[in-house]
């Protein structure tokens, strides 16, 4: 035998409060939604919603369509029947409600709800109906005497919920949720609704409109915006404004936007409205076509929301392009604040890439400069992919006339590598550190011949460190030695280190892989232009040459911020202690001689 399900209303209310709504404060939004839908259903222009507080209770009155007794039974006493709103005409596109559970939200704060309603439809009875529902699932319906068409919903706070029905709290909630509604909304006689969205208000001139929107942003978000961008997406019925943040913000911070649906506040912290890169704006929008989730506290993720997100991103992009054409100074100011967002756009958009190329300063060996200007000054410029590599090579490469761009910051390398997409002649080559030696001066044959004994001893000093010693002339003269390694040499060193740490099987595998790479070794380049380096090259004592060269090797690693292997650390310590002992021993000998 078939049986009907029994509904535990307390369980349903508990489900709403714990898992659907984020807070019981939404009860007023749901009651407002029902009132506005009733006014919309009646038609004939804007209506009125009056909220009255006092005595621990709340009353919400509207002059909307109202209900007959039959409709009361079907609408208010049936939970979950999606067709009932269609049958009675309450599922029209221009209604706010879509889920038919608004009245249940009243049980979030009350154990009893009273609805007094009279239908305004032609032919409907002139007598009002009183429906009283209880949180335990019971309800009763009875005549309520004659009354004007419309509906009054009354709540009395349950123990622990009285705070949410206090007059000041109710006014705040009504103002937050309903300030833009196209009805006359009052709380205890105080008008809540104004003239509609601030971005639709008429002003004598653009300057006054901007000042009004600045004040609106200050009231909502607590800051005066760097700029204001009008938003319009017709397919979503969306209008609004984007406020550009006047201070930097982390790109990982998701923007929280204020979203209204058909003039009713959806939420103040909607995150999915804009593309992720648009973290530098905060938006206030109203839309008629976007769909809310069941809790009406977020936007439903569908194709329309995705296309709206793209359209809003395009609007921000157009604003930047126009700014670059009409107000370069203001654009530079914006880029200083929010360059990461623009860089992220430039990875996908050619117009943004042109803006970055022309207006955004990059770190270069010639100081901060745009990529376009740097290429003009250095036709054969190079770039590196890490900040550490730029810091150790920028001074040396600049001194040799090789312009260098730091591509080590977020998105910089990708942007540099994308430049040929907008200009085939804009390509920058990545610098291989070893190629710098081709820009250094070589010694004359006589000097090179005289230094061969020293070079042989110096090579023996660093042979176990897998390094090659060469002598060159280069600037800056203050630098005695430079450690340079090519990408191939670095790969070879990493493979060798991995082989030494691996077991026998993996050592053989890594040995086969490293054997496929052409042998290449890092170079310790001694600067013959440096006085200290020249004095060291004149040494003849092999033990002293070993200590001095290993000391220069360690200093070059530290200067270039290279990682130190255990062998490097041992060589650095040995050279330091050896040179210290040699210096102390030599001084002590002189003092002994003077004492004699």
């Amino acid at each position: 035998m078939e049986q009907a399900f029994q509904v535990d209303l307390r369980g349903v209310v508990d489900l709403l409060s714990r898992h659907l709504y984020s807070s019981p404060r939404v009860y007023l939004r749901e009651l407002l939604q029902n009132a506005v839908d009733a006014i919309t259903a009646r038609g004939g222009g804007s209506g009125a919603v009056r909220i009255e507080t006092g005595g621990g209770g709340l009353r919400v009155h509207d002059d909307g369509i109202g209900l007959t007794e039959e409709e009361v039974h079907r609408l208010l006493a049936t939970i979950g029947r999606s067709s009932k709103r269609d049958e009675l005409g309450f599922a029209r596109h221009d209604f706010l409600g879509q889920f038919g559970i608004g009245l249940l939200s009243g049980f979030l704060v009350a154990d009893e709800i009273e609805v007094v309603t009279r239908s305004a439809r032609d032919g409907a009875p002139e007598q009002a109906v009183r429906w009283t529902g209880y949180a335990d699932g019971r309800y009763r319906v009875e005549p309520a005497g004659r009354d004007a068409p419309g509906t009054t919903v009354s709540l009395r706070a349950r123990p622990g919920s009285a705070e949410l029905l206090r007059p000041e709290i109710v006014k705040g909630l009504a103002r937050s949720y309903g300030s833009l509604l196209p009805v006359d909304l009052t709380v205890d006689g105080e008008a809540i609704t104004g003239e509609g969205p601030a971005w639709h208000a008429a002003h004598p001139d653009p300057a006054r409109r901007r000042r009004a929107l600045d004040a609106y942003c200050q009231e909502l978000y607590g800051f005066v915006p760097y700029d204001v961008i009008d938003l319009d997406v017709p397919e979503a019925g969306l209008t609004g404004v984007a406020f550009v943040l006047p201070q930097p913000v982390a790109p990982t911070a998701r923007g929280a936007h204020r979203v209204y649906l058909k003039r009713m506040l959806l939420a103040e912290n909607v995150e999915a409205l804009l593309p992720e890169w648009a973290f530098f704006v905060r938006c206030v929008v109203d839309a008629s076509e976007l769909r809310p989730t069941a809790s009406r506290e977020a936007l439903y993720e569908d194709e329309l929301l995705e296309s709206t997100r793209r359209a809003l991103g395009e609007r921000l992009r157009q604003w930047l392009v126009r700014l670059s054409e009409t107000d370069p100074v203001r654009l530079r100011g914006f880029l200083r604040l929010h360059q990461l967002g623009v860089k992220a756009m430039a990875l996908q958009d050619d117009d943004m890439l042109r803006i970055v190329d022309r207006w955004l300063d990059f770190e270069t060996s010639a100081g901060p400069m745009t990529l376009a200007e740097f290429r003009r000054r250095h036709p054969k410029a190079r770039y590196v992919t890490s900040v550490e590599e730029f810091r150790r090579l920028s001074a040396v490469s600049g001194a040799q006339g090789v312009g260098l761009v730091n591509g080590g910051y977020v998105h910089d390398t990708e942007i540099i590598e994308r430049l040929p997409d907008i200009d085939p002649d804009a390509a920058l080559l990545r610098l291989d550190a070893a190629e710098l030696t081709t820009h250094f001066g070589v010694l004359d044959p006589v000097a090179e011949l005289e230094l061969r004994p020293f070079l042989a001893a110096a090579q023996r000093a660093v042979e176990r460190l897998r390094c090659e010693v060469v002598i060159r002339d280069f600037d800056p003269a203050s630098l005695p030695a430079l450690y340079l390694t090519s990408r191939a040499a670095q790969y070879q060193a990493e493979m060798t280190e991995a082989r030494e740490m691996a077991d026998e099987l993996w050592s053989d595998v890594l040995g086969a892989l490293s054997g496929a790479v052409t042998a290449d070794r890092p170079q310790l380049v001694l600067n013959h232009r440096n006085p200290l380096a020249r004095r060291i090259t004149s040494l003849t004592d092999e033990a002293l040459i070993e200590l001095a060269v290993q000391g220069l090797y360690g200093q070059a690693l530290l200067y270039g911020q290279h990682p130190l292997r255990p062998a490097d650390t041992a060589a650095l310590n040995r050279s330091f202690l050896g040179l210290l002992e040699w210096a102390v021993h030599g001084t002590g000998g002189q003092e002994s001689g003077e004492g004699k």
Side-chain angles (χ1 to χ4, degrees):
M1 183 176 66
E2 293 183 353
Q3 298 288 332
F5 283 106
Q6 298 298 311
V7 177
D8 180 359
L9 187 57
R10 285 190 183 276
V12 173
V13 172
D14 182 69
L15 180 67
L16 293 177
S17 62
R18 293 180 182 272
H19 302 289
L20 183 62
Y21 297 129
S22 62
S23 166
R25 298 165 66 91
V26 301
Y27 82 92
L28 189 65
R29 181 194 68 193
E30 298 298 320
L31 296 180
L32 277 176
Q33 170 184 299
N34 286 351
V36 174
D37 281 351
I39 292 172
T40 303
R42 185 171 185 178
S46 63
V49 178
R50 300 194 316 273
I51 299 176
E52 299 171 352
T53 64
L58 176 79
R59 291 164 299 285
V60 179
H61 173 77
D62 68 73
D63 55 2
I65 191 67
L67 300 173
T68 65
E69 182 175 349
E70 178 189 0
E71 292 167 347
V72 164
H73 283 284
R74 299 178 66 185
L75 273 177
L76 303 186
T78 306
I79 300 172
R81 187 190 299 167
S82 60
S83 63
K84 62 182 180 177
R85 296 175 63 86
D86 296 336
E87 296 170 2
L88 300 176
F90 278 88
R92 284 168 35 186
H93 167 268
D94 48 352
F95 287 170
L96 297 172
Q98 300 294 325
F99 300 95
I101 57 177
L103 190 62
L104 283 181
S105 65
F107 288 119
L108 297 175
V109 296
D111 287 329
E112 178 181 326
I113 301 175
E114 179 186 273
V115 179
V116 177
T117 180
R118 178 189 164 195
S119 176
R121 289 188 176 89
D122 293 338
E126 295 183 358
Q127 191 169 10
V129 178
R130 176 180 287 106
W131 176 93
T132 307
Y134 304 92
D136 60 6
R138 296 177 296 115
Y139 79 92
R140 70 171 186 266
V141 178
E142 57 191 353
R146 298 175 63 87
D147 201 353
T151 301
T152 300
V153 179
S154 301
L155 311 176
R156 181 166 295 279
R158 71 156 63 98
S161 298
E163 177 73 15
L164 293 174
L165 271 66
R166 288 172 51 198
E168 57 270 28
I169 298 297
V170 172
K171 286 180 182 178
L173 293 176
R175 190 171 290 110
S176 177
Y177 289 121
S179 61
L180 300 189
L181 287 173
V183 299
D184 294 328
L185 173 61
T186 61
V187 177
D188 294 334
E190 180 180 333
I192 299 299
T193 49
E195 299 180 356
W199 54 93
H200 287 165
H203 296 279
D205 53 66
R208 295 189 191 183
R209 180 177 187 269
R210 173 59 190 273
R211 287 196 295 271
L213 290 176
D214 284 352
Y216 180 60
C217 178
Q218 177 77 45
E219 179 184 356
L220 287 183
Y221 293 119
F223 64 84
V224 176
Y226 185 82
D227 208 344
V228 179
I229 308 167
D230 284 302
L231 304 176
D232 183 16
V233 184
E235 64 177 310
L238 182 146
T239 63
V241 284
F243 299 114
V244 181
L245 293 168
Q247 67 278 331
V249 61
T252 54
R254 295 299 301 270
H257 309 290
R258 191 179 185 94
V259 175
Y260 294 83
L261 292 185
K262 300 171 186 173
R263 311 277 285 272
M264 173 75 81
L265 178 68
L266 177 73
E268 297 176 328
N269 56 352
V270 176
E271 294 184 349
L273 183 65
L274 296 181
E276 290 186 4
W277 52 257
F279 56 84
F280 51 84
V281 297
R282 296 291 179 267
C283 296
V284 183
V285 301
D286 176 53
S288 60
E289 304 299 325
L290 296 179
R291 296 169 56 195
T293 58
S295 67
R296 292 186 55 81
E297 295 176 351
L299 292 171
Y300 185 78
E301 192 69 42
D302 57 11
E303 291 184 4
L304 179 58
L305 178 58
E306 177 60 30
S307 65
T308 300
R309 190 181 295 126
R310 289 195 299 268
L312 293 175
E314 174 64 15
R315 183 66 187 87
L316 298 181
R317 186 192 70 82
Q318 292 173 356
W319 169 76
L320 281 170
V321 172
R322 187 177 68 254
L323 208 60
S324 70
E325 297 170 349
T326 61
D327 197 345
V329 174
R330 191 162 183 77
L331 175 66
R332 284 185 178 275
F334 168 80
L335 292 176
R336 284 193 295 269
L337 290 173
H338 303 296
Q339 57 176 284
L340 286 180
V342 178
K343 286 180 180 179
M345 285 190 284
L347 299 183
Q348 306 295 331
D349 187 275
D350 287 349
D351 284 337
M352 288 299 100
L353 184 60
R354 292 186 181 93
I355 287 176
V356 168
D357 182 40
R358 183 180 175 188
W359 298 107
L360 186 61
D361 285 343
F362 281 65
E363 187 176 11
T364 77
S365 54
M369 196 177 301
T370 66
L371 292 176
E373 176 65 15
F374 192 71
R375 292 197 309 276
R376 188 183 66 79
R377 296 188 185 185
H378 301 272
K380 297 182 179 180
R382 300 285 191 270
Y383 73 94
V384 291
T385 59
S386 73
V387 175
E388 293 76 13
E389 190 175 13
F390 175 81
R391 288 174 179 170
R392 66 173 172 257
L393 297 178
S394 60
V396 176
S397 65
Q400 316 314 312
V402 179
L404 193 62
V405 179
N406 184 1
Y409 296 111
V410 178
H411 301 318
D412 284 6
T413 292
E414 295 95 325
I415 286 173
I416 292 170
E417 292 174 347
R418 243 181 61 75
L419 287 175
D421 292 349
I422 59 172
D423 182 1
D425 298 328
L428 295 178
L429 299 179
R430 182 176 174 181
L431 177 70
D432 193 322
E435 77 176 82
L436 279 178
T437 57
T438 63
H439 297 272
F440 294 162
V442 297
L443 305 184
D444 63 76
V446 174
E448 191 171 356
L449 183 63
E450 292 176 351
L451 291 175
R452 281 186 179 178
F454 168 81
L455 275 174
Q459 187 60 51
R460 288 191 291 272
V462 296
E463 186 65 33
R464 60 179 173 273
L465 301 174
R466 307 187 191 99
C467 183
E468 179 184 355
V469 180
V470 296
I471 301 177
R472 295 287 187 269
D473 266 344
F474 61 88
D475 287 322
S478 59
L479 189 64
L482 187 65
Y483 181 84
L484 297 177
T485 179
S486 65
R487 287 191 288 275
Q490 187 174 0
Y491 172 80
Q492 189 72 27
E494 291 171 354
M495 291 291 289
T496 301
E497 186 174 357
R499 286 183 60 192
E500 294 174 350
M501 298 176 62
D503 56 30
E504 183 176 354
L505 175 61
W506 278 108
S507 180
D508 292 342
V509 172
L510 293 173
L513 292 175
S514 61
V517 181
T518 304
D520 195 1
R521 304 177 75 181
Q523 291 183 332
L524 176 63
V525 185
L526 305 184
N527 188 2
H528 198 254
R529 199 168 293 181
N530 178 266
L532 174 61
R534 282 202 306 273
R535 286 197 295 272
I536 291 175
T537 61
S538 66
L539 296 175
T540 56
D541 185 331
E542 182 154 346
L544 190 54
I545 290 175
E546 180 179 9
L547 294 176
V549 171
Q550 289 181 356
L552 289 178
Y553 173 83
Q555 187 269 345
L557 288 177
L558 294 175
Y559 172 82
Q561 300 181 16
H562 296 279
L564 296 180
R565 301 168 297 172
D568 299 332
T569 303
L572 184 59
N573 290 337
R574 185 168 54 250
S575 66
F576 174 76
L577 295 176
L579 290 172
L580 186 60
E581 182 180 357
W582 178 84
V584 171
H585 177 75
T587 302
Q590 292 176 359
E591 290 176 349
S592 299
E594 291 172 0
K596 293 179 181 178

